[in-house]
Amino acid sequence: MNRSEILAAVREELAVAAPDVPADADAAAHFGHDLGVDSLAVLEFVARLEYRYGIAVPDDAWPGLTSVDAVVDHLEQHLVAAS
């Protein structure tokens, strides 16, 4: 799976968990500060990705998952390591 496929999946799951976020939002924008996504929506969003990819995001990784880019980076590293 390449980065653009992961990015598309991340944006798809974000649209479900936080429908007010524009589809073309800057991937570097902070979920809370820039996009107004509350912590419950972030929790749902990451849980959806965990289910989709059959992974578990470790507790120590959560604080770093603050933007679409950060989530894609995390998934990219985890999915490559698993293959």
Side-chain angles (χ1 to χ4, degrees):
M1 177 166 283
N2 66 39
R3 187 173 181 87
S4 64
E5 291 170 329
I6 295 170
L7 176 60
V10 166
R11 286 193 183 275
E12 182 181 309
E13 297 299 348
L14 182 60
V16 173
D20 293 337
V21 174
D24 62 348
D26 182 0
H30 188 279
F31 289 132
H33 301 298
D34 300 324
L35 301 176
V37 179
D38 65 29
S39 58
L40 186 57
V42 171
L43 176 65
E44 178 186 350
F45 166 59
V46 174
R48 294 181 64 81
L49 290 167
E50 287 178 319
Y51 180 78
R52 182 176 191 146
Y53 290 110
I55 62 168
V57 174
D59 290 343
D60 62 345
W62 280 85
L65 303 179
T66 58
S67 68
V68 168
D69 276 343
V71 172
V72 171
D73 289 345
H74 178 82
L75 288 172
E76 205 172 30
Q77 290 172 357
H78 184 81
L79 295 174
V80 167
S83 50

